[in-house]
Amino acid sequence: MKLEVSRRSMIKNVVATVSTGTLLSGFNTPLALGTGSLKGNINHSVCRWCFNDLSVDELCEISKRIGIRAIDLVGPKDWGTLKKHGIDSSMCNGAEINLVDGFNDPKFHAELVKRYTEMIPLVAKAGYKNLICFSGNRRGKDDETGIKNCTEGLKKVIGMAEKHGVTLVMELLNSKRDHADYQCDNTAFGVNLAKNLGSDNFKLLYDIYHMQVNEGNVIDTIRKNKDYIAHYHTAGVPGRHELTPDQELNYTAIMKAILETGFKGWVAQEYIPTGKSLEQRFNDLAKCVQVCDV
């Protein structure tokens, strides 16, 4: 019990420090950047799971002080907390079964249709726009079969998404390192699926980290497939950590390329924090936002 009380106190102290805009160690500008200190060209978000040791309340407080206006991968039970803080839900979740059992296998279609049919109206009623979905693992299926199966399954719910103004967004994940056997592991798979569906209410979540690991050629791929991308995730390569100078991706150049496509959606930080203290982790998050703020 004492350890839990101590942890809560520590988090409150860091939140309080951030709220006052106090300079934190190793950071030469106030962590309390605020939206007014950012350029306003990129809509910044952060993924919930990366800071799971914090409550949603605490993450909202920190996000606001940094200038982050949305939180990714939050389900209905936490939407009320986001609204209380004036924070958007940039990518809703909760309809998917999991990452491996997805639309590429007809045996999951009935369950997925039920889940998405229930969730789409909730997303719309809450005033949100994006709802994540996944292909699932290959389990021996070639891409042609996987695309065919995904098309059949998603066609059963895309009409409802169109009616409610919700976009179903399939995430591109690497299968080389983090999600072995995941089928939508390349941009071509997602784009061909989008063309099959022929709906503006189906798009892709282009995870920059995952696609660098799986196929590379990030900027050119983004430019060529801009019409099919609704959302971006970031993380450093290698390691899936902060966007530091010692990783191989030039995020400033990537963000500039994204802006040049006319993109108006969200860019969410989705890296695994390395900071040992809360103070350092929030410093690092602010720095990552600044790297992407072009």
Side-chain angles (χ1 to χ4, degrees):
M1 177 65 90
K2 285 183 179 180
L3 286 175
E4 179 62 20
V5 171
S6 176
R7 190 191 76 86
R8 288 178 192 159
S9 298
M10 180 172 60
I11 290 172
K12 286 181 180 179
N13 287 339
V14 173
V15 171
T17 300
V18 172
S19 297
T20 63
T22 303
L23 288 172
L24 297 185
S25 59
F27 199 61
N28 58 11
T29 58
L31 180 56
L33 298 171
T35 53
S37 299
L38 299 174
K39 294 184 177 70
N41 298 320
I42 297 288
N43 296 313
H44 298 284
S45 178
V46 61
C47 287
R48 168 71 183 115
W49 72 266
C50 300
F51 294 89
N52 264 342
D53 57 332
L54 299 181
S55 70
V56 176
D57 258 314
E58 291 159 344
L59 185 56
C60 285
E61 286 289 350
I62 293 294
S63 296
K64 285 191 296 184
R65 302 314 302 174
I66 293 174
I68 292 171
R69 298 190 294 110
I71 297 179
D72 250 36
L73 305 179
V74 175
K77 72 180 180 66
D78 292 315
W79 291 346
T81 302
L82 267 60
K83 288 180 180 296
K84 180 182 73 174
H85 289 277
I87 294 286
D88 204 341
S89 179
S90 41
M91 182 61 64
C92 301
N93 68 357
E96 71 280 2
I97 298 172
N98 51 51
L99 299 183
V100 303
D101 301 329
F103 280 100
N104 70 343
D105 195 326
K107 73 180 179 183
F108 301 120
H109 284 179
E111 177 65 19
L112 286 166
V113 169
K114 176 179 181 295
R115 286 168 172 259
Y116 280 85
T117 299
E118 292 171 353
M119 187 65 74
I120 288 169
L122 296 180
V123 172
K125 185 177 179 181
Y128 301 135
K129 297 295 184 183
N130 295 327
L131 179 60
I132 201 165
C133 64
F134 300 97
S135 67
N137 280 12
R138 292 175 181 276
R139 297 185 173 103
K141 293 181 286 295
D142 60 29
D143 279 0
E144 183 179 357
T145 302
I147 291 169
K148 175 178 175 291
N149 291 345
C150 283
T151 302
E152 290 174 357
L154 285 161
K155 275 187 174 178
K156 297 175 182 178
V157 293
I158 199 68
M160 175 171 280
E162 292 169 344
K163 175 183 174 182
H164 288 277
V166 171
T167 301
L168 302 181
V169 187
M170 182 169 286
E171 185 165 13
L172 302 167
L173 302 173
N174 84 74
S175 59
K176 290 183 178 179
R177 181 171 301 161
D178 299 284
H179 300 284
D181 203 45
Y182 185 75
Q183 185 147 39
C184 190
D185 64 352
N186 62 91
T187 308
F189 182 100
V191 168
N192 286 330
L193 173 56
K195 288 178 178 178
N196 271 9
L197 288 166
S199 172
D200 286 338
N201 291 78
F202 177 84
K203 300 283 185 182
L204 303 177
L205 193 172
Y206 187 92
D207 189 301
I208 298 165
Y209 159 80
H210 283 298
M211 289 302 94
Q212 172 68 1
V213 170
N214 232 69
E215 63 185 21
N217 200 29
V218 168
I219 289 177
D220 190 52
T221 300
I222 287 170
R223 286 172 174 162
K224 288 179 178 177
N225 299 287
K226 61 184 177 62
D227 294 336
Y228 302 100
I229 299 171
H231 200 77
Y232 289 93
H233 280 173
T234 73
V237 181
R240 201 177 186 182
H241 298 305
E242 291 84 1
L243 315 186
T244 57
D246 59 353
Q247 51 95 38
E248 68 192 35
L249 288 166
N250 183 344
Y251 268 100
T252 298
I254 292 169
M255 291 299 124
K256 286 180 179 178
I258 288 171
L259 283 183
E260 288 167 2
T261 69
F263 182 73
K264 302 296 184 185
W266 296 93
V267 174
Q269 302 291 333
E270 196 194 23
Y271 63 84
I272 299 168
T274 60
K276 291 184 170 31
S277 70
L278 287 173
E279 205 173 62
Q280 185 59 55
R281 286 164 58 206
F282 297 140
N283 262 329
D284 292 341
L285 179 57
K287 289 179 182 179
C288 290
V289 168
Q290 286 186 316
V291 168
C292 292
D293 194 55
V294 299

